[in-house]
């Protein structure tokens, strides 16, 4: 076969794709990783806005598969900044010699399954290739969402998006800057911009809950402590529901007496960062429990923001705490005490258009030199939607997902043999420490490929019933929580509004991992594994 044929094609060169590449190579299979960007790192390559950093402690937001690296690598801060995370990813790629199988600047346009050969044809903007397996490591948060506002081409200033920030420094000193969006990206970038810009105007549609990062330089004593027990810590993150190195407090917020409740919240606020959400086991289960967290955070916002009207605008009231991903930032709220920062309420005065000189809301014209969209991503399915993926009978993935994204375990889709998705809809992905999820997915996929090799299977395919049951299971789990109450990017609704699918698996990593392991141990229940056909040419030669 030609050098354009591989056992495995991996699409996407972020944390998921690179680890998949490493594992596939260890299986002795031929592999190529295709990456649209001009560098590896995925979201950490593109998401280089000022203040970008992870919101899970770096000692946990990192690969666990290389224990020697755990000992050698030094994180300089509690939450690593984007440049440090990118240099870590590059270091891992070099350390394991991964780059030789990476093709940069190669955008995958289409993947088509050939039922006669059992191979995938992959069309890219740099030529075509074929493979037995396609692994889509395209990222749950990788396609920037650009607001549908008229006039963006008319703006004479600079228009930027946090998720596709320029590589070269952007000089914002003395500039009038608009930031649209107050999610994780918005809450991280606003304090950075406020420190240099002449004025920052923050356009907020929905206030979000922001918990304190308690960010700080790495304490050498803490680092020593982590390193001395790293294997145990890694085992813990693999077994907690969240993939964090702390588990949910088993107490109930509803049942706790007010003094105890307050003490737990204060302690979590002071120490836990994102883990604040683990303060009580029922926070995402009942309104009464959740309201106690909402009241506590509202109080904290009021303490930090001097102007009561601004504080009130920043206090979320439209969704329970945690049903949209909480933001983790240190100085977001206090930034509104600065003279050069203003908050605009888009609920009261929506944006009508981008103009030549700035933004026009239904109430006023605002002049800006720079507009920053911190408007997030076409989440979870966005990158897959943009590739024309055709499975059996020529059906596209978009067609298959017309009523909502169906997937078995978040890993495979019925009618799309030998196609795997990492952190796809139906996997814990964005509801967990995503690196922990990624490693679990990759290792499970590697196990599947090994099993197929050992049993002589040529193709695997999720059964439609298994897929339907998994989607129903994920949504039943979500319906038992407060998650569906929020209007969030966790939910995908079809254009008619009839079908709402809650996409990430909300049952926790531990339970998900156990189910995946059971399925593998049971001979891949819910999958059909078919033997090689006589006509199939052995791969890799
Ligand atoms: O995106 P978001 P993000 N007009 O979707 C608003 C991860 N992440 O990039 O809520 C006006 O959360 C939107 O308003 P609304 C993390 O998983 C992690 O901030 O839709 N406003 C919202 O305020 C995170 O959850 C890190 O009403 C519009 C904001 O834009 C995920 O990425 C850092 C609008 C978008 O918030 C996404 O975070 C960054 C419109 N047309 C990201 N459209 C860390 O590790 C959207 N908005 C810390």
């Amino acid at each position: 076969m030609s050098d354009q044929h591989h056992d495995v094609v991996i699409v996407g060169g972020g944390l998921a794709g690179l680890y998949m590449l490493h594992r596939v190579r260890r299986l002795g299979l031929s592999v190529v990783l295709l990456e649209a960007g001009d560098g590896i790192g995925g979201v950490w390559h593109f998401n280089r806005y000022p203040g970008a950093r992870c919101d899970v402690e770096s000692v946990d937001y990192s690969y666990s598969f290389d224990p020697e690296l755990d000992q050698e690598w030094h994180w300089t801060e509690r939450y690593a900044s984007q440049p440090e995370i990118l240099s870590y990813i590059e270091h891992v790629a070099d350390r394991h010699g991964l780059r030789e199988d990476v093709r940069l600047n190669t955008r995958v346009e289409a993947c088509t399954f050939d039922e006669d050969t059992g191979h995938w044809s992959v069309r890219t903007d740099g030529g075509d290739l074929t493979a037995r397996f396609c692994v889509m490591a395209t990222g749950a948060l990788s396609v920037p969402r650009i607001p549908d506002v008229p006039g963006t081409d008319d703006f004479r200033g600079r228009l930027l998006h946090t998720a596709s920030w320029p590589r070269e420094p952007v000089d914002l000193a003395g500039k009038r800057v608009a930031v649209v969006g107050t999610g994780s990206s918005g809450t991280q970038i606003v304090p950075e911009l406020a420190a240099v810009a002449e004025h920052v105007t923050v356009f907020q549609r929905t206030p979000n809950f922001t918990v304190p990062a308690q960010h700080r330089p790495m304490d050498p004593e803490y680092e020593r402590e982590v390193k001395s027990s790293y294997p145990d810590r890694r085992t813990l993150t693999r077994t907690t529901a969240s993939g964090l190195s702390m588990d949910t407090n088993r107490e109930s917020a509803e049942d706790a007496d007010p003094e105890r409740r307050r003490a737990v919240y204060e302690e979590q606020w002071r120490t836990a960062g994102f883990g604040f959400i683990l303060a009580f086991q029922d926070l995402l289960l009942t309104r009464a429990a959740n309201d106690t967290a909402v009241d506590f955070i509202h109080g904290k916002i009021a303490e930090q923001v001097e102007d009561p009207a601004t504080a009130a605008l920043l206090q979320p009231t439209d969704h329970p705490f945690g049903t949209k991903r909480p933001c983790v930032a240190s100085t977001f709220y206090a930034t509104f005490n600065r003279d050069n920062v203003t908050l605009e309420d888009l609920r009261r005065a929506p944006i009508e258009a981008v103009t030549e000189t700035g933004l026009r809301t239904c109430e006023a014209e605002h002049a800006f030199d720079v507009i920053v969209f911190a408007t997030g991503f076409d989440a979870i399915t966005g990158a897959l939607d943009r590739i024309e993926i055709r499975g059996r009978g020529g059906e596209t993935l978009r067609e298959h997902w017309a009523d909502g994204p169906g997937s078995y375990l978040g890993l495979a889709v019925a009618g799309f043999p030998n196609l795997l998705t990492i952190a796809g809809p139906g996997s814990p992905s964005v509801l967990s420490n995503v690196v922990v999820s990624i490693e679990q997915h990759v290792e499970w996929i590697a196990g599947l490929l090994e099993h197929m090799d050992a049993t002589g299977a040529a193709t695997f395919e999720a059964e439609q019933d298994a897929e339907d049951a998994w989607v129903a299971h994920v949504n039943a789990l979500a319906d038992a929580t407060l998650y569906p109450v929020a209007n969030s990017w966790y939910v995908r609704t079809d254009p008619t509004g009839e079908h709402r699918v809650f996409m990430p698996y909300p049952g926790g990593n531990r339970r998900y991992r156990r189910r995946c392991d059971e399925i593998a141990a049971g001979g891949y229940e819910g999958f059909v594994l078919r033997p090689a056909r006589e006509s199939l040419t052995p791969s890799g030669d």
Side-chain angles (χ1 to χ4, degrees):
M1 288 228 149
S2 77
D3 63 357
Q4 295 306 333
H5 180 79
H6 302 269
D7 292 314
V8 183
V9 162
I10 299 167
V11 185
L15 284 159
L18 291 168
Y19 184 42
M20 190 76 244
L21 173 58
H22 178 61
R23 292 302 296 239
V24 169
R25 281 168 40 150
R26 273 177 43 183
L27 294 174
L29 300 174
S30 65
V31 57
V32 64
L33 184 154
L34 308 175
E35 165 56 50
D38 63 359
I40 58 170
V43 72
W44 295 110
H45 173 76
F46 291 102
N47 229 46
R48 35 179 95 224
Y49 60 85
R53 56 179 77 248
C54 55
D55 59 4
V56 168
E57 278 191 71
S58 300
V59 292
D60 299 323
Y61 189 88
S62 45
Y63 291 124
S64 72
F65 72 84
D66 184 344
E68 280 175 20
L69 178 63
D70 276 351
Q71 296 302 322
E72 287 167 27
W73 187 264
H74 167 60
W75 294 108
T76 64
E77 299 175 287
R78 183 181 192 193
Y79 304 97
S81 63
Q82 174 271 332
E84 191 165 323
I85 298 172
L86 187 58
S87 73
Y88 169 81
I89 296 171
E90 289 178 337
H91 177 77
V92 173
D94 292 335
R95 183 181 169 90
H96 292 281
L98 301 179
R99 290 186 201 259
E100 63 198 54
D101 290 321
V102 173
R103 273 190 222 165
L104 298 175
N105 301 306
T106 306
R107 181 170 290 283
V108 173
E109 296 167 342
C111 301
T112 307
F113 184 69
D114 181 329
E115 293 185 52
D116 292 329
T117 61
H119 292 166
W120 282 91
S121 298
V122 179
R123 192 180 81 221
T124 81
D125 57 3
D128 298 345
L129 39 95
T130 56
R132 283 180 64 203
F133 300 97
C134 253
V135 183
M136 311 306 284
T138 41
L141 298 165
S142 54
V143 176
R145 179 171 55 177
I146 314 286
D148 186 17
V149 185
T152 46
D153 291 340
D154 301 336
F155 185 50
R156 290 203 304 258
R158 191 136 189 218
L159 199 64
L160 298 167
H161 193 292
T162 45
S164 49
W165 199 262
R167 198 185 274 255
E168 70 283 359
V170 180
D171 182 13
L172 294 160
K175 300 278 196 312
R176 298 160 305 169
V177 182
V179 177
V180 180
T182 49
S184 297
S185 305
T187 52
Q188 284 189 334
I189 198 173
V190 164
E192 303 286 328
L193 300 183
V196 292
E198 179 192 304
H199 197 94
V200 176
T201 308
V202 180
F203 290 88
Q204 172 184 267
R205 188 164 69 181
T206 312
N208 216 331
F209 293 94
T210 300
V211 298
Q214 306 296 5
H215 182 55
R216 53 180 173 265
M218 180 60 75
D219 169 33
E221 187 49 42
Y222 178 66
E223 187 179 13
R224 263 194 299 280
E225 207 181 285
V226 170
K227 289 189 175 180
S228 69
S229 56
Y230 231 143
D232 293 342
R233 191 178 176 110
R234 294 300 196 183
T235 303
L236 180 65
T237 55
R238 267 180 232 124
T239 49
T240 58
S242 59
L244 300 179
S245 55
M246 58 187 100
D247 220 337
T248 315
N249 175 13
R250 298 317 304 162
E251 291 171 86
S252 151
E254 224 177 320
D255 295 346
D257 69 59
E259 211 174 306
R260 169 69 188 154
R261 200 160 50 214
R262 177 102 207 156
V264 172
Y265 282 142
E266 286 291 356
E267 178 63 11
Q268 294 290 103
W269 191 261
R270 206 177 50 75
T271 59
F274 190 76
F276 183 84
I277 201 165
L278 308 176
F280 291 101
Q281 52 83 10
D282 49 356
L283 287 189
L284 288 168
L285 299 181
T286 72
R287 275 283 190 168
N290 197 281
D291 283 348
T292 66
V294 171
D295 287 348
F296 178 85
I297 300 172
H298 280 191
K300 289 292 184 190
I301 296 171
E303 278 172 23
Q304 293 172 77
V305 181
E306 288 160 8
D307 173 41
T310 305
L313 259 187
L314 289 164
Q315 290 169 333
T317 52
D318 80 317
H319 64 282
F321 168 67
T323 54
K324 293 171 88 153
R325 184 168 163 115
C327 307
V328 183
S330 299
T331 54
F332 175 67
Y333 291 126
T335 300
F336 291 93
N337 299 330
R338 297 177 63 113
D339 291 340
N340 69 335
V341 178
T342 316
L343 182 64
E344 292 289 334
D345 178 9
L346 291 179
R347 299 258 175 211
R348 201 194 64 231
I351 295 171
E352 286 183 345
V354 176
T355 64
E356 282 187 11
T357 54
L359 285 171
R360 188 177 70 240
T361 68
C362 67
E363 279 184 352
E365 295 270 354
H366 299 264
F368 296 112
D369 305 304
V370 178
I371 298 172
V372 177
F373 287 136
T375 45
F377 301 88
D378 185 354
I380 304 180
T381 51
L384 295 168
D385 278 341
R386 278 159 180 76
I387 301 172
E388 190 185 297
I389 302 173
R390 285 187 187 275
R392 274 191 197 288
E395 185 190 33
T396 64
L397 192 60
R398 279 192 293 269
E399 286 161 356
H400 190 74
W401 284 357
D403 292 343
S407 165
Y408 184 36
L409 304 173
L411 291 165
V413 183
F416 295 80
N418 289 6
L419 179 83
L420 290 140
T421 54
I422 300 182
S427 101
S429 64
V430 293
L431 293 184
S432 78
N433 173 354
V434 79
V435 191
V436 173
S437 277
I438 283 170
E439 288 196 324
Q440 184 274 341
H441 295 328
V442 167
E443 287 159 16
W444 191 91
I445 291 169
L448 170 65
L449 300 188
E450 231 173 342
H451 173 82
M452 290 178 68
D453 187 44
T455 56
T459 60
F460 76 88
E461 186 175 349
E463 291 170 8
Q464 187 62 57
D465 286 352
E467 176 178 308
D468 293 344
W470 187 255
V471 175
H473 172 59
V474 169
N475 282 270
L477 287 173
D479 286 342
T481 71
L482 299 172
Y483 277 121
V485 174
N487 175 20
S488 76
W489 50 258
Y490 297 155
V491 177
R492 177 161 147 162
T493 309
D494 74 332
T496 67
E498 203 184 319
H499 303 278
R500 269 170 69 84
V501 174
F502 189 84
M503 293 188 283
Y505 174 83
N509 268 339
R510 180 171 30 216
R511 191 167 169 186
Y512 174 82
R513 180 185 294 270
R514 203 185 311 131
R515 187 70 194 118
C516 288
D517 289 348
E518 283 166 6
I519 286 169
Y524 293 93
E525 173 198 331
F527 289 94
V528 179
L529 273 69
R530 296 188 178 88
R533 292 198 343 213
E534 292 288 300
S535 62
L536 290 184
T537 313
S539 64
D541 56 12

